[in-house]
Amino acid sequence: GTALALLVAALALLAAVTGFCAGCQMYRLGARLRGISSRTLDRIELAEMGVGTPTDGEVVVAFGHPLCTDCHDLLANLEATGRRYVSVDVRARPELARKYGIALVPTAVAVAVDGTVTGRLAG
């Protein structure tokens, strides 16, 4: 237990000092090994993300991994700015990562109510 705690503390310190996110890099390597290749996101089915039918504005869809500090920072920023968002854990939903070509985390896109991607915020 102590060794694991020291490893986590060292990785957190590394991320804070250098900006190197070990969780992001581990996901990138794992995605490459599983054959997930990055592609352009033009459309996202919001119902698959657990979003009800929005009637106005846009929803930010943020794909992330629980070990990714950049992902946590992105979600905190979205929360602080009051943007409507849905977080998709690529570890828990690998089928969505494969379908949408999420080879890099965090990946966040703004999506219109009809599912059209209107902008890329991260990734």
Side-chain angles (χ1 to χ4, degrees):
T2 302
L4 181 59
L6 288 174
L7 176 63
V8 169
L11 290 174
L13 179 63
L14 179 67
V17 172
T18 66
F20 177 80
C21 177
C24 301
Q25 298 304 320
M26 288 182 344
Y27 177 76
R28 180 182 292 174
L29 177 62
R32 188 175 300 151
L33 291 174
R34 289 189 311 271
I36 297 174
S37 58
S38 183
R39 60 178 164 255
T40 303
L41 284 171
D42 297 327
R43 182 167 186 72
I44 291 184
E45 299 299 325
L46 291 174
E48 287 181 318
M49 306 300 153
V51 176
T53 307
T55 57
D56 65 335
E58 64 183 17
V59 176
V60 174
V61 178
F63 294 91
H65 192 280
L67 298 177
C68 168
T69 55
D70 291 343
C71 299
H72 294 289
D73 293 343
L74 173 67
L75 294 179
N77 186 6
L78 290 171
E79 187 75 33
T81 58
R83 292 190 78 169
R84 186 170 40 172
Y85 73 93
V86 61
S87 176
V88 179
D89 179 352
V90 294
R91 184 175 66 177
R93 304 287 310 268
E95 74 282 2
L96 293 178
R98 181 171 299 285
K99 177 179 180 178
Y100 293 109
I102 306 302
L104 175 66
V105 291
T107 295
V109 292
V111 181
V113 295
D114 66 352
T116 304
V117 173
T118 59
R120 184 176 282 271
L121 305 172

